Amino acid sequence: MAESKVWLVTGSSTGFGRSMTELLLKNGNRVVATLRRTEVLSGLAEQYPSSQLLIIQMDVVKSSEVAAAFVKAKEVFGRVDVVFNNAGIAIIGEMESMRDDEARKTFEVNFWGASNVTRASGRSGRRTNQSGEGCCRFLLLWV
């Protein structure tokens, strides 16, 4: 039997990230679930052993937290095979009614957050893989 993949999932507290985390765990994969409020996944932590699920507090806007998550993933699982870069926020409404601080936060998370994870993934993959290539697979989800 082939060894399970190691997935790093951003935004694993709700929506697609939570659904993907649950599906991956049910299918026997190892998951590094990243989110801002780790207590949200306490139920999953009770269901799955630490050899399959690693929960890390991480805000994608903070590049130091993103880098630390990849380091911890490598310490625990030895590598990251797939990144499901899903963390994001949405604001629904008319453009003219959006406050500047809301628009800036949305851009910070959806653009710079995704960029931080992408860069950290590449750096982590090059350190892990002998060939110097980045992470094997990378999924960026923008909804």
Side-chain angles (χ1 to χ4, degrees):
M1 184 170 113
E3 188 177 21
S4 63
K5 296 283 186 201
V6 177
W7 289 68
L8 185 138
V9 180
T10 68
S12 60
S13 60
T14 61
F16 288 127
R18 175 66 181 250
S19 295
M20 181 61 98
T21 298
E22 291 175 359
L23 178 68
L24 292 167
L25 290 167
K26 283 179 190 173
N27 288 324
N29 291 283
R30 292 173 286 166
V31 178
V32 179
T34 67
L35 63 166
R36 288 177 291 144
R37 295 182 343 265
T38 59
E39 67 276 5
V40 173
L41 295 183
S42 61
L44 285 180
E46 293 170 5
Q47 269 184 281
Y48 294 94
S50 59
S51 60
Q52 190 178 4
L53 174 62
L54 171 63
I55 300 171
I56 298 178
Q57 190 282 322
M58 183 184 88
D59 185 337
V60 294
V61 173
K62 298 177 180 174
S63 57
S64 61
E65 290 184 10
V66 175
F70 278 91
V71 168
K72 186 67 175 176
K74 185 176 178 187
E75 286 174 9
V76 173
F77 294 130
R79 66 185 193 285
V80 172
D81 298 309
V82 184
V83 176
F84 188 74
N85 198 1
N86 165 76
I89 57 175
I91 298 176
I92 299 173
E94 302 83 21
M95 183 67 176
E96 65 271 11
S97 66
M98 186 182 302
R99 296 188 332 253
D100 284 352
D101 62 324
E102 292 175 320
R104 289 181 195 287
K105 181 178 180 182
T106 302
F107 191 80
E108 282 289 320
V109 172
N110 294 347
F111 179 78
W112 288 114
S115 296
N116 288 339
V117 174
T118 301
R119 286 192 306 272
S121 173
R123 287 191 288 268
S124 173
R126 274 189 287 287
R127 284 192 294 268
T128 302
N129 298 328
Q130 303 284 338
S131 64
E133 296 174 9
C135 193
C136 301
R137 293 177 184 87
F138 194 88
L139 305 172
L140 175 61
L141 182 62
W142 286 41
V143 179

